[in-house]
Amino acid sequence: MPHSRGVVMARVYLSIGSNIDRHRHISACLDALHQTYGELLLSSVYESEAVGFAGDNFFNLVAGIDTSLGVGELAGQLRHIETANGRRRDGPRFSSRTLDIDILTYGDVAGTVDGVALPRDEVTKNAFVLWPLAEIAPQVLHPVLKCSYGELWERYDKRRQQLWIADFSWRGQQFSRAALK
C-alpha cells in the first residue's frame, strides 16, 4: 500500500450506480469523492437495464481512490454521500435508487471487516461491476481468486447482461476511460 507522509494508504475500488436522475446523482457523487479523496481513477460510465427488478436503466461506473480511512469509517462516509443524494433505505433491496456506492475491494483485504464483506461478491457476478473494474485495473489481482480483473472479464459470460457505454460528462469533460484530477 502506498504511503503518504507516514500514513498507510489503501487503494479502494468503489462501484457507483444510479437510476434516478442519473447524471445529477453520479456527478454529485464524483464531486464529493473528489473533494474528500482527491484524484479519482474513473472507468467509463456504462448503462444497463435494472437487475432483479423492473425499473429505469442504471448508470454504473467504478472509481479508484486512495484512503487512509479504515473500512468502517469509509463505509460511513459513503453512506453519508448516498443519504445526501436522497438515498432511501426503507424500500426493497432491489429497487430504484438515487445513488448506490459499494466498496468492491480495499487493498488486498479478504474477509468481513467492520461488517463489510471484502472483496464484494458482485465483482465476479455482475457485468456492470466487473467490466468497469477490468477497464481501470486490468492487471490487479482479485484478493481471493488471485486472477486479474482483466482475465476475469475475458472469461465472463457476456451474454448474462447487456451493457453499453453511456454518454456522460463530469466537470465539463466528456469521458470514457480517463484518469480525472
Side-chain angles (χ1 to χ4, degrees):
M1 291 184 202
H3 292 267
S4 175
R5 288 183 235 122
V7 176
V8 176
M9 303 289 281
R11 170 50 58 106
V12 177
Y13 291 103
L14 306 171
S15 175
I16 302 166
S18 173
N19 76 332
I20 298 173
D21 201 357
R22 304 174 301 182
H23 281 90
R24 180 168 70 90
H25 291 115
I26 297 288
S27 293
C29 175
L30 296 178
D31 287 342
L33 291 173
H34 182 265
Q35 181 178 359
T36 305
Y37 304 104
E39 184 176 345
L40 306 175
L41 177 61
L42 299 173
S43 73
S44 301
V45 174
Y46 293 85
E47 186 171 356
S48 66
E49 294 177 349
V51 174
F53 68 98
D56 292 336
N57 287 357
F58 272 83
F59 276 175
N60 291 95
L61 72 152
V62 168
I65 64 169
D66 294 314
T67 183
S68 61
L69 295 178
V71 174
E73 191 175 357
L74 175 61
Q77 283 192 352
L78 299 176
R79 278 192 303 276
H80 178 76
I81 294 170
E82 290 174 335
T83 301
N85 281 278
R87 171 71 187 267
R88 306 262 327 247
R89 290 178 169 67
D90 56 358
R93 179 173 177 223
F94 294 105
S95 61
S96 292
R97 57 202 59 199
T98 56
L99 187 60
D100 188 28
I101 313 169
D102 294 318
I103 301 171
L104 299 175
T105 64
Y106 183 96
D108 58 2
V109 173
T112 300
V113 179
D114 297 333
V116 178
L118 298 167
R120 194 167 179 91
D121 67 347
E122 291 166 1
V123 168
T124 58
K125 293 183 176 167
N126 293 319
F128 64 81
V129 174
L130 184 55
W131 190 5
L133 183 56
E135 181 184 323
I136 64 170
Q139 303 303 317
V140 175
L141 298 181
H142 186 284
V144 175
L145 302 176
K146 303 300 182 200
C147 182
S148 76
Y149 297 117
E151 291 173 289
L152 290 170
W153 178 243
E154 269 183 39
R155 291 190 235 150
Y156 186 86
D157 179 359
K158 294 165 184 69
R159 296 170 296 181
R160 289 175 51 189
Q161 183 186 24
Q162 297 299 307
L163 294 182
W164 53 97
I165 293 179
D167 180 27
F168 191 88
S169 63
W170 177 59
R171 294 188 167 191
Q173 278 186 298
Q174 185 70 27
F175 74 91
S176 66
R177 184 48 199 111
L180 299 175
K181 298 179 190 238

